[in-house]
């Protein structure tokens, strides 16, 4: 009987890092077309801004609200369907899905949270909002982390 090959932690971490880099590269390639599809639709219906609020804690999190505005006035998002492309960790496939504008906004928000702050929903969690500025074709994330702090002291006299 031969001894099993010892676990190579460095090689394993290198594979994980390479897989993560490949996933990030695929996601980055998809971003411009997804943003264009969304912003083109918003421009066509006169929406000037979309605000997405989210909240996460205790190992769960969700989008709380999606508000659309036209020149500061609340409006409904169009029911139009757009195509959004997504990719998943560990899978080289690119999947195109037809979604409503609201679903696309939510999908992009979750994708951006995962990209920039993986684990945003864990422990004390985070909260914040995305602002989709249609005129600038720019999405801004305001992100706030919660944490529990303890300030302990012990004295012996």
């Amino acid at each position: 009987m031969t001894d099993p090959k010892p676990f190579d932690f460095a090689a394993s971490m290198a594979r994980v890092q390479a897989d993560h880099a490949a996933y990030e590269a695929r996601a980055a390639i998809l971003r411009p077309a997804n943003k264009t599809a969304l912003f083109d639709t918003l421009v066509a219906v006169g929406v000037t801004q979309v605000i997405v609020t989210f909240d996460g804690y205790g190992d769960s999190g969700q989008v709380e609200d999606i508000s659309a505005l036209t020149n500061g006035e609340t409006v409904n998002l169009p029911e139009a369907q757009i195509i959004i492309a997504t990719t998943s960790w560990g899978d080289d496939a690119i999947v195109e899905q037809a979604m409503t504008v609201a679903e696309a906004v939510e999908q992009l928000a979750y994708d951006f949270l995962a990209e920039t702050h993986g684990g945003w929903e864990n422990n004390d969690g985070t909260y914040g909002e995305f602002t989709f500025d249609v005129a600038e074709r720019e999405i801004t994330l305001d992100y706030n982390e919660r944490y529990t702090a303890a300030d302990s002291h012990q004295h012996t006299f």
Side-chain angles (χ1 to χ4, degrees):
M1 180 180 274
T2 61
D3 288 332
K5 183 177 176 184
F7 179 70
D8 187 341
F9 182 78
S12 180
M13 284 306 298
R15 278 191 305 277
V16 168
Q17 290 173 334
D19 288 348
H20 185 67
Y23 165 74
E24 285 183 329
R26 284 191 313 276
I29 289 168
L30 301 178
R31 187 179 311 118
N34 286 341
K35 283 177 59 180
T36 296
L38 177 61
F39 283 128
D40 286 352
T41 301
L42 294 172
V43 165
V45 297
V47 172
T48 57
Q49 188 178 57
V50 177
I51 298 174
V52 178
T53 58
F54 64 91
D55 197 3
Y57 54 88
D59 299 335
S60 66
Q62 61 281 326
V63 165
E64 297 284 327
D65 185 58
I66 299 173
S67 300
L69 304 165
T70 296
N71 300 321
E73 298 293 323
T74 301
V75 297
N76 293 324
L77 284 171
E79 292 297 319
Q81 297 261 319
I82 60 174
I83 302 297
I84 296 294
T86 61
T87 187
S88 299
W89 172 271
D91 185 352
D92 292 340
I94 304 295
V95 177
E96 291 186 342
Q97 293 179 280
M99 348 181 137
T100 66
V101 173
E103 290 169 336
V105 166
E106 186 170 345
Q107 179 67 52
L108 292 179
Y110 283 128
D111 289 348
F112 292 139
L113 280 170
E115 178 182 328
T116 58
H117 298 283
W120 62 274
E121 72 284 6
N122 292 332
N123 302 320
D124 293 343
T126 65
Y127 64 95
E129 72 180 28
F130 288 91
T131 302
F132 291 63
D133 183 331
V134 178
E136 296 296 323
R137 291 183 174 251
E138 188 173 82
I139 303 166
T140 302
L141 168 59
D142 289 319
Y143 180 87
N144 306 281
E145 287 189 22
R146 295 184 193 96
Y147 61 91
T148 301
D151 189 9
S152 302
H153 303 274
Q154 180 181 37
H155 304 279
T156 303
F157 301 99

